[in-house]
Amino acid sequence: MASSFITFKKKILALQEYSLMLKDLFLSIKSINKCKRDAINEMYLVGSQAFLLVLLGGAFVGIILALETGYQLDLFGAKTLVGRTVSLGMVRELGPTITGLLLAARTGAKNASELGAMQISEQIDALRAFGTNPVLKLVMPRTIAAMVMFLPLTAIADMSGILSGMVVTKLSLHVDTSFFWNSAISALLIKDIFVGFTKPILFAFFIATISCFYGFNTRGGTSALGKNTINAVVVSSLTVLVLDFILTKIVWELL
Amino acid sequence: MIRLENVSLAFGDKVILDNTSLSIKKGEIAIILGPSGAGKSSILKIMVGLWQPDAGRVLINNKDISKLSELEMLPLRRKMGIVFQGNALFDSLTVKENVAYFLREHGGIKESLVNEKVSEVLSFVNLEGTEKICIDELSGGMKKRVAIARALSFDPDIIFYDEPTTGLDPINSKSILDLIKRASSRGATSVVVTHILNDAIYIGDTLSVINEGAVVETGTVYEMLRSENKFVKDFFYEVFQDAALLQNKIL
């Protein structure tokens, strides 16, 4: 009982520390120009280097979605609606979520391990001691890079999912590509695209800040670094799923 | 210049500093001396403002920094240099990039002046020609020199050294201590935290002996050697023992 109370207390304290880091991050916005170069470097690492991962992830999800829904719709003679299902599924839900989960693992692990190693070797203390704001220097560029790059990456996941879904529908379900395409495009409304591209911005913000927070709070040796990296990936991934649920619920209720 | 007034710090039940007071004058080399776990590095981190005390005041040039926020501390820290125990060099950067890092970060300095300053401080620490070498390729002694060069690069008013010779061989230790003396002669106040008595005696203008989170005694080397305090006597016993040992060897 006592130990679970202490664990609960630690979680509350961690939440408080995370909020304080976010406060620092928002207060640093006025100095955002100072981290332009670091943000561009991070964009390359977070964005360009994740291109293939997102392309393949999106493609396979699109294929699976097309096959699973195609076979079920075929039972009712409605397999021409596969395009609609795949495009709505990819743009509204699976594109942002798969991109979020893949990048929570990739970017989350990168941020937490990099900052954790810097914390252990006192490099973050050195930044602070020499008058550099570590949140502006380390968290801001990573957050900007993630928020900027998650949008095109999500678009890539959406497109590769829809296109690979179209190819597999043609080959396995023998649905003409024009049928697929027409149904896919006509199903998409502005609100679907709005929802599909709002989610990655929020996912990116939380993945970047949560993973940086875990990196900043690494104490001890290499085992703590490993543990915190795992925690960063787990918490970021769960946050993506919970946020996805909340946003989907809000959208269905409001829009 | 630096004054700690009744500073206390605890992590949970563990008391780190207990009502500690200390005063360091401008331009001197002040040594904070004590056994491992006595609270030496904690004092240093409080002086730099990396940690905030639970109670008491920390005055740097008569300005109380104990309650300043991280953002309020930044301009003050730009007048302080610190050499960390593990050097805390940016291992993905070269020697030059490490030394120039804070000059560039603080901005307002032309690149030609940055280059000039880097060359000057690298020459001061006898590391000319190492500008393009990566940190990983340096020996322990060289890394320490780079860390000192980085701390000196923006001509700080105060330089803090955390265990500057720990892990170094006697020759490298001696050269680092000489470097601290030379750096101090440029006008900066130096605060050196160490547990190595010989180092403290070699470079210290004043020594503050600390034990269990409290300053036991402060004074010159001469005053320390004549101290009647039991802990100080025990701590300095090593000096007399070494002298006796050396005498016996020679005889």
Side-chain angles (χ1 to χ4, degrees):
Chain A
M1 184 67 187
S3 70
S4 55
F5 176 72
I6 290 167
T7 312
F8 177 72
K9 198 173 145 189
K10 278 184 182 169
K11 300 262 186 237
I12 297 293
L13 282 173
L15 201 61
Q16 183 190 337
E17 292 286 318
Y18 176 67
S19 313
L20 289 173
M21 192 192 81
L22 290 188
K23 185 187 139 202
D24 264 3
L25 187 68
F26 288 120
L27 288 176
S28 308
I29 284 176
K30 58 180 184 289
S31 312
I32 205 163
N33 270 342
K34 285 185 183 173
C35 63
K36 225 180 328 183
R37 207 176 61 181
D38 292 323
I40 291 167
N41 284 340
E42 283 299 322
M43 278 181 205
Y44 170 70
L45 294 170
V46 170
S48 312
Q49 293 195 343
F51 173 79
L52 194 63
L53 176 72
V54 169
L55 186 82
L56 289 175
F60 281 105
V61 169
I63 289 170
I64 294 161
L65 187 62
L67 286 177
E68 288 292 348
T69 54
Y71 287 127
Q72 296 305 315
L73 288 170
D74 199 16
L75 296 174
F76 304 99
K79 65 181 179 183
T80 49
L81 293 176
V82 176
R84 185 187 173 86
T85 320
V86 171
S87 69
L88 278 177
M90 285 308 297
V91 172
R92 286 183 70 118
E93 291 299 330
L94 293 171
T97 311
I98 287 298
T99 311
L101 288 175
L102 288 175
L103 296 182
R106 190 180 181 279
T107 310
K110 176 191 163 295
N111 288 346
S113 57
E114 267 179 11
L115 300 196
M118 285 183 80
Q119 182 67 270
I120 289 171
S121 59
E122 293 182 305
Q123 290 179 46
I124 291 177
D125 277 348
L127 284 174
R128 292 174 61 206
F130 286 106
T132 299
N133 177 1
V135 172
L136 176 66
K137 180 74 192 162
L138 301 170
V139 184
M140 185 67 89
R142 283 167 172 80
T143 308
I144 293 169
M147 290 174 80
V148 171
M149 295 312 288
F150 273 30
L151 280 176
L153 287 172
T154 305
I156 287 164
D158 292 349
M159 282 310 294
S160 73
I162 295 170
L163 290 175
S164 58
M166 186 173 73
V167 172
V168 86
T169 309
K170 165 84 175 159
L171 296 176
S172 301
L173 300 169
H174 310 292
V175 174
D176 193 72
T177 47
S178 58
F179 270 118
F180 182 96
W181 197 246
N182 277 337
S183 128
I185 297 298
S186 62
L188 284 177
L189 301 175
I190 293 292
K191 75 166 183 180
D192 300 318
I193 294 167
F194 174 75
V195 171
F197 287 96
T198 305
K199 284 180 180 178
I201 296 174
L202 285 170
F203 292 167
F205 176 79
F206 283 102
I207 290 169
T209 52
I210 288 170
S211 55
C212 288
F213 171 75
Y214 274 99
F216 266 8
N217 283 283
T218 304
R219 300 279 183 275
T222 45
S223 65
L225 180 60
K227 200 175 138 193
N228 267 22
T229 305
I230 292 170
N231 285 342
V233 173
V234 170
V235 175
S236 302
S237 305
L238 282 174
T239 307
V240 166
L241 295 172
V242 172
L243 271 176
D244 188 38
F245 160 70
I246 293 168
L247 290 170
T248 305
K249 183 78 180 154
I250 289 171
V251 167
W252 281 110
E253 297 284 332
L254 296 180
L255 296 176
Chain B
M1 177 121 204
I2 305 173
R3 214 163 68 237
L4 265 62
E5 292 177 355
N6 309 108
V7 167
S8 296
L9 177 76
F11 292 127
D13 297 335
K14 195 179 175 196
V15 176
I16 309 292
L17 296 175
D18 184 16
N19 212 23
T20 299
S21 296
L22 183 68
S23 186
I24 294 167
K25 288 186 205 128
K26 189 179 179 190
E28 71 177 5
I29 301 181
I31 309 288
I32 298 171
L33 186 67
S36 299
K40 308 184 294 292
S41 294
S42 307
I43 287 187
L44 192 128
K45 285 187 173 162
I46 282 177
M47 283 178 181
V48 184
L50 292 174
W51 291 355
Q52 287 189 331
D54 298 332
R57 297 202 309 158
V58 182
L59 298 151
I60 306 275
N61 291 332
N62 293 322
K63 186 176 172 82
D64 185 6
I65 65 160
S66 58
K67 297 284 180 283
L68 293 185
S69 72
E70 191 76 1
L71 291 176
E72 288 168 327
M73 268 306 295
L74 293 179
L76 273 173
R77 286 197 187 126
R78 288 173 191 168
K79 291 176 184 166
M80 303 173 182
I82 180 163
V83 178
F84 286 87
Q85 189 173 354
N87 303 320
L89 296 169
F90 304 117
D91 43 21
S92 57
L93 305 180
T94 62
V95 169
K96 183 186 170 180
E97 286 165 340
N98 263 284
V99 177
Y101 190 87
F102 296 104
L103 289 171
R104 287 177 178 147
E105 276 295 303
H106 295 170
I109 304 170
K110 282 185 190 162
E111 194 56 28
S112 58
L113 287 177
V114 170
N115 290 336
E116 204 176 294
K117 193 71 199 174
V118 170
S119 300
E120 186 213 316
V121 286
L122 282 179
S123 158
F124 184 79
V125 299
N126 299 323
L127 280 178
E128 302 99 326
T130 58
E131 285 88 344
K132 290 179 181 166
I133 299 176
C134 272
I135 293 302
D136 288 345
E137 297 168 40
L138 300 177
S139 68
M142 287 169 94
K143 281 182 185 167
K144 191 63 78 183
R145 284 165 187 273
V146 176
I148 294 175
R150 182 175 70 176
L152 291 174
S153 65
F154 48 94
D155 297 319
D157 297 340
I158 311 164
I159 310 173
F160 297 93
Y161 301 87
D162 191 1
E163 302 277 6
T165 59
T166 300
L168 298 180
D169 60 78
I171 291 172
N172 265 314
S173 293
K174 166 86 168 46
S175 67
I176 294 296
L177 295 173
D178 287 336
L179 203 53
I180 293 172
K181 276 180 150 181
R182 286 203 292 132
S184 171
S185 67
R186 287 159 64 116
T189 305
S190 302
V191 181
V192 183
V193 159
T194 185
H195 67 276
I196 304 169
L197 195 52
N198 289 334
D199 291 1
I201 292 170
Y202 184 62
I203 59 168
D205 293 326
T206 58
L207 278 57
S208 298
V209 179
I210 180 166
N211 186 38
E212 292 177 352
V215 175
V216 177
E217 197 155 327
T218 299
T220 62
V221 175
Y222 181 72
E223 285 164 347
M224 286 293 161
L225 291 171
R226 292 168 61 89
S227 171
E228 289 302 314
N229 184 289
K230 189 181 177 313
F231 181 79
V232 176
K233 276 175 117 174
D234 287 349
F235 204 82
F236 277 73
Y237 174 71
E238 187 195 323
V239 176
F240 299 114
Q241 202 183 30
D242 284 353
L245 198 70
L246 194 65
Q247 198 176 26
N248 285 341
K249 279 267 185 193
I250 294 165
L251 291 173

